[in-house]
């Protein structure tokens, strides 16, 4: 499968004048095509030998692939005007470069601080790695992954571009104690195209080329270029400009490999219990290294879901040049069964912390134009970042002012800030996707009540709640007195929290939009997405409202939803 992809990516059309010898010697000799064909034959032979060495786990395998890659490069360089030779050599080049990078990783040849080590132990030299238009310096590269996982059900299709070179995923090294460290996902990868550059070959055959075997001579000096295929559409090989091959989906697949789905576990677990693959608490994660001048788009998933649900949409948005040019994607991941107001409090603090850490001098205006995109309950969390609730949330659970409540000093700040807070000034736009502003019908059914009973509430929250209730008789409404409300409780159409949230409008200067599923017609609640009725998903004061023929868990994957979000972001980028 990998070889088939590389063959597709190695297509190009070329024309160029014939090369002269490096000495400028015009002495008649073999034609450039004949020499190029010789190099191509050598690349195939050496590539086959390298493959056999790889099967035997021979530690000299990287050198063998390196030599085969050089021979293919020489064929391309010598006679680029021969389209048939070039096409075959480009395939050999990409396949052998794949083998070189994979075997170099297998045998520990990549030193992030200097490059890739090539040659026998006693005569080793460094192939330096040079980044071109990447979001990070070469020193921040942890690994160059030539073959990421082939598929993941969370991404529906791959986006490829034909051309020269080898598409790779570049894994970013986690900084030691840096400000961005706390915002990195389990694995952060970016797209690049690898081009292993060798020096210009002589037109005339060299005596050393007659020596058999891919590791019979010293490796030639080379440089590994890692080019951002979004910022650079091509690369020069000699005098010829080549379009760059690209795989825009590969880094997403590479990141997803380190993000096992946590949906149900995240729903059942509390914020104090670690969820498999996660920290057990709400976390803000940057899917790309922070880039000043780009507007953050923060994606917030819904109930019984996780950040992986957004990768299909990322995969589609990344094909749009305007998204790459203007935006950087962030995700807010959280255990969805935890206390609703507590989760939103932590989200608010993390967004504020990111704003301050990344730009303490406030020189980057893009950070004050954040966009929040929330699916399902994620939309309610997004709304809680842009409203000023006043006494509304507190009055929904209590019968007297919060100032009169007896709370231990060490708990007071967190307790109060769950109910009383200011909107985040850095957020300027919110997109609701299948958001149950008026509740979800599932929450009031037997299945919803059973699910609410299965949620393991945070022990700390339970202890605080119990002590507050005991220390303040008659304080709480009957619903709040029974226990900390779960997310299922909050989603009941009769929830007092929802009634308060629906009555509050976002702060001035925040633009809102709705994307709503309407594929299903219910006899009791009318059209909807099988979980959230249209009547519940509609919100007053939105700037746009689009309907999507999809079920609840598929609304944000639908092409109409992707196109609408892309349109919204394009308008936001230009200030509309």
């Amino acid at each position: 499968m990998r070889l088939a992809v590389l063959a597709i990516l190695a297509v190009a059309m070329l024309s160029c004048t014939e090369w002269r010898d490096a000495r400028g010697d015009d002495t008649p000799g073999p034609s450039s095509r004949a020499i190029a064909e010789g190099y191509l034959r050598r690349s195939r032979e050496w590539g086959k030998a390298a493959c056999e060495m790889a099967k035997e786990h021979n530690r000299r395998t990287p050198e063998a692939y390196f030599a085969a890659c050089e021979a293919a490069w020489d064929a391309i360089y010598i006679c680029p005007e021969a389209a048939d030779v070039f096409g075959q050599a480009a395939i050999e080049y990409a396949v052998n470069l794949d083998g070189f990078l994979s075997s170099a990783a297998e045998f520990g040849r990549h030193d992030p601080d200097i490059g890739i080590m090539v040659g026998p132990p006693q005569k080793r030299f460094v192939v330096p790695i040079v980044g071109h238009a990447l979001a990070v310096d070469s020193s921040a590269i942890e690994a160059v992954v030539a073959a990421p996982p082939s598929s993941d059900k969370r991404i529906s299709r791959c986006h490829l571009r034909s051309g020269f070179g080898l598409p790779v995923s570049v894994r970013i090294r986690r900084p030691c104690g840096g400000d961005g460290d706390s915002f990195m996902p389990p694995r952060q990868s970016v797209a690049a195209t690898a081009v292993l550059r060798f020096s210009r070959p002589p037109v005339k055959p060299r005596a050393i080329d007659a020596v058999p075997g891919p590791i019979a001579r010293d490796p030639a000096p080379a440089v590994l270029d890692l080019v951002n295929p979004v910022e650079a559409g091509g690369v020069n090989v000699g005098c010829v400009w080549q379009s760059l091959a690209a795989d825009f989906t590969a880094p997403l697949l590479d990141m997803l490999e380190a993000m096992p789905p946590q949906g149900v576990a995240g729903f059942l677990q509390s914020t104090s219990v670690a969820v498999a693959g996660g920290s057990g608490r709400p976390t803000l994660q940057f899917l790309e290294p922070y880039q000043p001048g780009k507007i953050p788009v923060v994606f917030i998933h819904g109930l019984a879901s996780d950040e992986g649900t957004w990768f299909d949409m990322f995969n589609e948005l990344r094909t749009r040049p305007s998204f790459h040019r203007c935006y950087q994607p962030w995700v807010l991941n959280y255990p969805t069964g935890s206390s609703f107001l507590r989760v939103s409090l932590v989200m608010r603090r993390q967004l504020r912390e990111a704003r301050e850490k990344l730009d303490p001098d406030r020189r980057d205006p893009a950070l004050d134009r954040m966009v929040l995109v929330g699916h399902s309950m994620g939309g309610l969390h997004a709304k809680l970042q842009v409203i000023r609730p006043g006494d509304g949330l507190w009055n929904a659970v209590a019968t007297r002012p919060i100032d009169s409540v007896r709370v231990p000093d060490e708990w007071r700040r967190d307790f109060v800030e769950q109910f009383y807070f200011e909107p985040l000034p850095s957020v300027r736009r919110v997109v609701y996707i299948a958001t149950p502003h008026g509740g979800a019908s599932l929450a009031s059914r037997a299945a919803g009540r059973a699910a609410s009973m299965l949620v393991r509430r945070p022990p700390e929250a339970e202890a605080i709640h119990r002590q507050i209730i005991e220390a303040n008789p008659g304080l709480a409404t009957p619903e709040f007195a029974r226990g900390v409300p779960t997310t299922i409780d909050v989603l009941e159409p009769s929830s007092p929290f929802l009634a308060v949230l629906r009555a509050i409008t976002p702060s001035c200067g925040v633009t809102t939009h709705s994307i709503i599923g309407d594929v299903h017609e219910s006899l009791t609640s009318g059209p909807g997405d099988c979980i959230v009725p249209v009547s519940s998903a509609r919100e007053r004061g939105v700037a746009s409202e689009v309907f999507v023929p999809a079920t609840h868990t598929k609304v944000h994957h639908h092409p109409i939803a992707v196109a609408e979000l892309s349109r919204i972001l394009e308008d936001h980028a230009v200030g509309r």
Side-chain angles (χ1 to χ4, degrees), residues 138-484:
S138 299
S139 60
I141 296 173
E142 179 184 77
V144 180
V145 183
S150 58
S151 64
D152 189 294
K153 64 181 182 180
R154 290 170 286 182
I155 290 184
S156 59
R157 60 177 178 169
C158 291
H159 291 291
L160 308 175
R161 186 175 72 200
S162 64
F164 181 78
L166 177 70
V168 296
S169 297
V170 175
R171 290 181 187 167
I172 309 304
R173 184 162 49 169
R174 187 175 295 275
C176 297
D179 286 343
D181 188 20
S182 59
F183 302 120
M184 286 188 72
R187 181 183 294 165
Q188 190 180 68
S189 301
V190 297
T193 303
V195 177
L196 186 60
R197 288 184 177 274
F198 299 87
S199 59
R200 172 180 172 179
V203 172
K204 292 183 178 180
R206 299 164 293 195
I208 192 65
D209 290 334
V211 178
I215 58 174
R217 61 190 180 90
D218 292 339
V223 173
L224 181 64
D225 288 335
L226 296 177
V227 187
N228 183 341
V230 176
E231 300 294 335
V235 64
N236 285 322
V237 180
C239 69
V240 178
W241 186 90
Q242 313 280 1
S243 62
L244 277 176
D247 187 339
F248 300 104
T249 305
L252 297 180
L253 291 171
D254 191 51
M255 285 192 284
L256 281 174
E257 186 183 41
M259 295 179 180
Q262 344 169 344
V264 174
F267 170 68
L268 295 178
Q269 298 282 13
S270 69
T271 55
S272 62
V273 180
V275 180
S279 65
R281 61 185 296 272
T283 56
L284 177 63
Q285 301 173 356
F286 299 173
L287 296 189
E288 297 174 355
Y290 166 61
Q291 300 172 70
K294 289 191 174 183
I295 302 168
V297 184
V298 187
F299 296 86
I300 311 172
H301 61 78
L303 190 66
S305 187
D306 55 55
E307 71 272 42
T309 191
W310 291 111
F311 275 61
D312 203 30
M313 178 171 276
F314 299 155
N315 189 43
E316 301 305 317
L317 291 174
R318 286 157 64 98
T319 64
R320 292 160 166 80
S322 60
F323 185 82
H324 278 286
R325 185 173 60 252
C326 302
Y327 293 99
Q328 49 190 321
W330 299 355
V331 291
L332 270 167
N333 185 35
Y334 64 100
T336 61
S338 297
S339 170
F340 178 65
L341 293 180
R342 172 67 183 174
V343 165
S344 279
L345 167 63
V346 176
M347 287 182 179
R348 196 156 43 248
R349 288 178 176 174
Q350 291 201 344
L351 289 171
R352 191 181 296 115
E353 178 188 2
R355 176 68 185 84
E356 294 305 318
K357 276 190 173 183
L358 295 173
D359 184 36
D361 297 328
R362 309 193 77 82
R363 296 177 178 176
D364 186 1
L367 291 178
D368 289 322
R369 301 187 63 207
M370 286 188 194
V371 179
L372 304 185
V373 181
H375 172 250
S376 189
M377 172 163 277
L380 297 179
H381 284 302
K383 185 172 184 179
L384 279 167
Q385 310 306 309
V386 295
I387 63 171
R388 181 181 292 103
D391 295 320
L393 293 176
W394 176 249
N395 289 341
V397 301
T399 58
R400 57 178 185 264
I402 197 168
D403 291 341
S404 65
V405 178
R406 298 173 60 189
V407 181
D409 292 340
E410 64 270 22
W411 295 347
R412 178 168 291 279
R413 181 187 171 213
D414 282 4
F415 179 74
V416 172
E417 287 187 9
Q418 291 184 60
F419 299 95
Y420 290 89
F421 49 84
E422 293 296 311
L424 287 174
S426 55
V427 178
R428 309 311 302 161
R429 195 175 296 258
V430 175
V431 182
Y432 304 118
I433 302 180
T435 297
H437 298 284
S441 55
L442 176 66
S444 58
R445 298 174 187 165
R449 290 191 291 272
S452 181
M453 294 173 63
L454 290 174
V455 174
R456 291 193 285 275
R457 295 167 172 81
E460 295 89 346
E462 287 288 289
I464 294 172
H465 177 271
R466 183 170 55 254
Q467 185 166 334
I468 291 174
I469 296 300
E470 292 174 355
N472 299 271
L475 167 71
T477 60
E479 295 84 0
F480 188 64
R482 284 194 295 267
V484 178

Side-chain angles (χ1 to χ4, degrees), residues 12-245:
M13 298 178 63
L14 302 165
S15 63
C16 184
T17 58
E18 183 175 321
W19 285 105
R20 290 185 175 185
D21 184 282
R23 302 184 305 274
D25 188 353
D26 293 323
T27 305
S31 69
S32 59
R33 180 184 177 91
I35 297 174
E37 289 174 341
Y39 281 132
L40 177 57
R41 285 192 299 272
R42 188 170 297 113
S43 178
R44 288 171 173 161
E45 293 169 3
W46 289 355
K48 184 177 180 181
C51 187
E52 292 301 318
M53 293 172 67
K55 293 177 182 177
E56 299 169 358
H57 300 285
N58 189 313
R59 299 190 67 83
R60 297 297 305 280
T61 300
E63 283 72 38
Y65 277 120
F66 185 87
C69 196
E70 181 193 3
W73 171 274
D74 289 349
I76 293 166
Y77 206 109
I78 288 291
C79 192
E81 69 270 23
D84 57 335
V85 175
F86 172 83
Q88 297 172 58
I91 293 174
E92 292 297 320
Y93 175 83
V95 169
N96 289 309
L97 180 51
D98 187 335
F100 169 65
L101 294 176
S102 298
S103 60
E106 178 185 356
F107 294 109
R109 300 288 192 85
H110 180 204
D111 184 330
D113 294 318
I114 58 176
I116 299 177
M117 309 300 294
V118 179
Q122 67 276 15
K123 297 179 67 175
R124 221 151 247 186
F125 72 94
V126 176
V127 175
I129 297 176
V130 179
H132 296 272
L134 293 180
V136 294
D137 295 330
S138 299
S139 60
I141 296 173
E142 179 184 77
V144 180
V145 183
S150 58
S151 64
D152 189 294
K153 64 181 182 180
R154 290 170 286 182
I155 290 184
S156 59
R157 60 177 178 169
C158 291
H159 291 291
L160 308 175
R161 186 175 72 200
S162 64
F164 181 78
L166 177 70
V168 296
S169 297
V170 175
R171 290 181 187 167
I172 309 304
R173 184 162 49 169
R174 187 175 295 275
C176 297
D179 286 343
D181 188 20
S182 59
F183 302 120
M184 286 188 72
R187 181 183 294 165
Q188 190 180 68
S189 301
V190 297
T193 303
V195 177
L196 186 60
R197 288 184 177 274
F198 299 87
S199 59
R200 172 180 172 179
V203 172
K204 292 183 178 180
R206 299 164 293 195
I208 192 65
D209 290 334
V211 178
I215 58 174
R217 61 190 180 90
D218 292 339
V223 173
L224 181 64
D225 288 335
L226 296 177
V227 187
N228 183 341
V230 176
E231 300 294 335
V235 64
N236 285 322
V237 180
C239 69
V240 178
W241 186 90
Q242 313 280 1
S243 62
L244 277 176

Side-chain angles (χ1 to χ4, degrees), residues 485-497:
T486 68
T487 46
I488 289 288
D489 299 329
V490 171
L491 290 178
E492 285 197 20
S494 60
S495 166
F497 282 122

